[in-house]
């Protein structure tokens, strides 16, 4: 059995006699040893012959299936042990656990390693080296956790191993993806007929939606950008807020629209685009709005901007990586007013809905524009009359992400999604109130799930963050907000409890005093 300390550090490992589990599976010969992790490699595990890693051998189908079942049961048990400990352990891995990852290095072995030994290496060295963002006290970036239904669905989907490119490759995966996309559209109150794609994250969702925008605007000007590229194409103006997320600029760069070739609109003290400072917009403009600033959580004033931008026939794109999910909550919905008037939207399933990594969603009001940007044809790519995901995605072969998205949303329902938004926002308020009460400056208006706090000078703030990160109760990163160094607290996990907030607050205050 694995012996784990509270911080998840594996201290000693006694190997299970897999030979027992696999007895009757043919000529299986394993050697196991008891070792202290970190002091020696698992080179003492050897599998001279094993049906599950040598399926081409003469092993029977039954023996392969039996060995695989035993292996998957073991993987499930390791995963469950991991999850049972994840809330109590240190959020960061110990230095010893990180150093021990070197045991996974080395040249590619000349021959096979038994799957059990591979799994054992992963759990022994990999699990302790992870960051516990599945627990309730990880407040870095905008990282969500994974709701149980999405987690379980991911396991099943992994067994299905579907290629979700074409309906013929997986009716189940494609059907679930279509349903989930429509649920997201409904939650965001977007127009009927809006289409989309399930991609890896908001970066690729921005990329996909902006590819549709690029197509539509250049097609209006009589230019086929997919066929002829951008050399010699009519000009497109891209307008962004000064606080645009860098991933959107990256997407523009990938599309040949340029990371720097943008018109930047000044913002206010919360990072909101100033409606009174918008440049001229026309039918050759892509206007990129933001629903949820990564630092402050603030929303661009879409209701003030979108009607005029629509009249000017500009393409309005919304980066709502996490903020758009606020639409699910009757309490927070007012923040997202006006964004429904856009032409395209990018968001993440792996942020606020806690669908697990990775899951991004691109939505486009005119799905034909997305299709024109993405679809490919070849004689062997047999397509029917159905919606083929590959027509709307940057990839051809792709993981069936829609399965987890469907499962997570199905389990949450409308009220569950609203509850995650409301609960995490109220946790953010609790953090802000506790930090203010202790005399520290909260730099943003806490309107959502994001809090920025200064612990004094930049050096004092950075030293506090370093001590907090090393201590391990919780994890927060740093940022510079409009010239001021701050600690970011992003409460994005369904798993965070009030007790987690109070424990973390206490750790923050201790780190600030040290
Ligand atoms: C507003 C915004 N846009 C885009 C992204 C990028 O998302 P992803 O990491 O899923 O690509 C983020 C990430 O935090 C974000 O906050």
């Amino acid at each position: 059995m694995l012996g784990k300390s509270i911080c998840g550090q594996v201290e000693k490992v006694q190997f299970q006699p897999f030979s027992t589990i696999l007895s009757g599976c043919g000529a299986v010969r394993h050697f196991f040893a008891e070792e202290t992790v970190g002091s020696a490699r698992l080179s003492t595990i050897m599998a001279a012959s094993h049906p599950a890693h040598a399926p081409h051998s003469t092993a029977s189908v039954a023996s392969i299936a039996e060995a695989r079942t035993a292996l998957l049961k073991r993987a499930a048990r390791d995963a469950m042990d991991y999850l049972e400990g994840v809330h109590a352990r240190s959020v960061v891995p110990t230095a010893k656990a990180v150093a021990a990852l070197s045991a996974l290095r080395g040249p590619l072995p000349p021959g096979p390693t038994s799957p059990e030994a591979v799994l054992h290496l992963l759990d022994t060295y990999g699990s302790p080296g992870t960051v516990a963002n599945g627990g309730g006290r990880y407040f870095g970036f905008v990282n969500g956790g994974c709701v149980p239904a999405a987690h379980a669905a991911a396991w099943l989907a992994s067994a299905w191993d579907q290629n979700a490119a074409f309906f013929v490759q997986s009716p189940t995966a494609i059907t679930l993806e279509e349903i989930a996309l429509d649920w997201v559209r409904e939650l965001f109150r977007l127009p009927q007929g809006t289409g989309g794609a399930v991609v890896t994250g908001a970066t690729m969702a921005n990329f996909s939606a902006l590819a549709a925008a690029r197509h539509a605007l250049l097609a209006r000007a009589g230019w086929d950008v997919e066929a002829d590229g951008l050399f010699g194409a009519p000009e497109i103006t891209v307008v962004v807020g000064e606080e645009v997320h860098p991933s959107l600029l990256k997407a523009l760069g990938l599309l040949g629209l340029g990371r720097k070739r943008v018109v930047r609109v000044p913002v206010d003290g919360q990072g909101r685009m100033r409606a009174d400072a918008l440049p001229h917009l026309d039918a050759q403009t892509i206007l990129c709005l933001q629903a949820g600033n990564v630092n402050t959580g603030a929303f661009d004033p879409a209701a003030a901007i979108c009607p005029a931008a629509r009249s000017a026939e500009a393409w309005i794109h919304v980066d709502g990586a996490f903020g758009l999910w606020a639409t699910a909550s009757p309490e927070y919905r007012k923040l997202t007013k006006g964004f429904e008037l856009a032409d395209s939207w990018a968001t993440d399933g792996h942020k606020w809905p806690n669908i697990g990594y990775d899951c991004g969603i691109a939505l486009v009001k005119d799905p034909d524009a997305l299709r024109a940007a993405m679809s490919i044809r070849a004689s062997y790519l047999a397509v029917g009359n159905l919606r083929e995901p590959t027509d709307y995605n940057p990839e051809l072969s792709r993981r069936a992400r829609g399965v987890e998205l469907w499962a997570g949303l199905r389990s949450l329902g409308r009220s569950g999604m609203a509850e995650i938004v409301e609960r995490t926002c109220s946790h953010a308020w609790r953090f802000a109130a506790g930090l203010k009460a202790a005399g520290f400056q909260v730099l943003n208006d806490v309107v959502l799930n994001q809090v920025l706090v200064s612990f004094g000078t930049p050096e004092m703030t950075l030293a506090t963050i370093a001590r907090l990160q090393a201590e391990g109760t919780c994890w927060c990163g740093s940022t510079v907000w409009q010239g001021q160094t701050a600690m970011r607290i992003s409460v994005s996990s369904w798993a965070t409890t009030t007790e987690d907030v109070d424990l973390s607050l206490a750790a923050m205050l201790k780190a600030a005093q040290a």
Side-chain angles (χ1 to χ4, degrees), residues 5 9 90 188 216 233 263 273 317 325 342 345 380 433 457 467 474:
S5 71
Q9 176 72 32
S90 163
F188 291 176
V263 178
M273 191 184 269
H317 170 69
W325 296 99
W345 305 263
Y380 84 99
T457 62
R467 282 191 290 267
C474 65

Side-chain angles (χ1 to χ4, degrees), residues 294-366:
V294 74
N295 282 310
T296 64
F299 290 70
D300 286 339
I305 292 175
C306 289
R310 285 231 67 83
S311 309
E313 292 179 33
W315 180 289
I316 308 170
H317 170 69
V318 180
D319 177 0
F322 58 102
L324 277 175
W325 296 99
T327 319
S329 154
E331 198 180 330
Y332 288 89
R333 186 171 299 147
K334 57 185 178 298
L335 293 168
T336 65
K337 195 162 181 294
F339 288 104
E340 74 284 356
L341 298 173
D343 297 281
S344 59
W345 305 263
T347 194
D348 264 323
H350 56 226
K351 288 194 169 72
W352 241 348
N354 283 250
I355 297 302
Y357 288 95
D358 50 24
C359 180
I361 302 146
L363 293 159
V364 181
K365 191 164 79 179
D366 173 12

Side-chain angles (χ1 to χ4, degrees), residues 142 201-204 206 245 247 290 292 294 319 321-322 348 350-351:
V142 189
T203 303
M204 284 314 287
N206 278 322
H245 193 274
S247 66
Q290 189 166 250
V294 74
D319 177 0
F322 58 102
D348 264 323
H350 56 226
K351 288 194 169 72

Side-chain angles (χ1 to χ4, degrees), residues 106-193:
L108 181 66
T113 306
S114 79
E116 293 80 8
V118 171
L119 184 66
H120 205 95
L121 280 166
L122 281 177
D123 191 42
T124 304
Y125 296 104
S127 295
T130 59
V131 168
N133 59 339
R137 296 188 308 281
Y138 188 84
F139 306 113
F141 309 95
V142 189
N143 282 13
C146 190
V147 289
H151 213 137
W155 286 9
L156 193 57
S158 160
W160 291 348
D161 189 27
Q162 301 289 278
N163 183 345
F166 291 103
F167 188 86
V168 287
Q169 288 173 304
S170 182
T172 298
I174 277 72
T175 302
L176 292 174
E177 174 174 317
E178 275 176 23
I179 299 167
L181 277 170
D182 211 45
W183 285 346
V184 178
R185 181 194 64 73
E186 265 180 46
L187 271 178
F188 291 176
R189 303 177 159 215
L190 303 182
Q192 199 88 37

